[in-house]
Amino acid sequence: DRALTSLIKVAPETVRAYYLLGRVKRLNGDADGAEANLRKTLELASNHTEALMALGSLLLDRAKYADADALYQ
């Protein structure tokens, strides 16, 4: 978590770091942090398939069905 956060501070356009940080935050139970980082990943790379799938799954788990549906469209 700290290493990825440090990398983002130094190189804020590092798409993979946001994606990985989102995954780590989800595994650690921080759904808000996970969602924010996965959304940032998609802001930087809208076709990032892994982030799309991870965010969609997270949204479904959080019962944000309309958001998940819009993401999958």
Side-chain angles (χ1 to χ4, degrees):
D1 193 329
R2 280 189 236 150
L4 292 168
T5 301
S6 295
L7 175 59
I8 288 169
K9 287 179 184 177
V10 174
E13 300 304 312
T14 307
V15 175
R16 187 101 176 127
Y18 285 104
Y19 167 71
L20 292 173
L21 187 56
R23 298 295 303 214
V24 167
K25 288 193 175 287
R26 182 165 188 193
L27 290 171
N28 289 335
D30 179 3
D32 290 335
E35 184 173 340
N37 281 283
L38 292 169
R39 287 190 184 281
K40 181 64 177 180
T41 302
L42 294 171
E43 180 183 314
L44 295 172
S46 61
N47 62 345
H48 194 290
T49 305
E50 293 168 307
L52 285 166
M53 298 303 294
L55 180 57
S57 175
L58 174 65
L59 292 171
L60 289 173
D61 288 348
R62 298 183 82 188
K64 294 184 175 184
Y65 303 118
D67 290 344
D69 185 54
L71 184 69
Y72 286 137
Q73 294 300 320

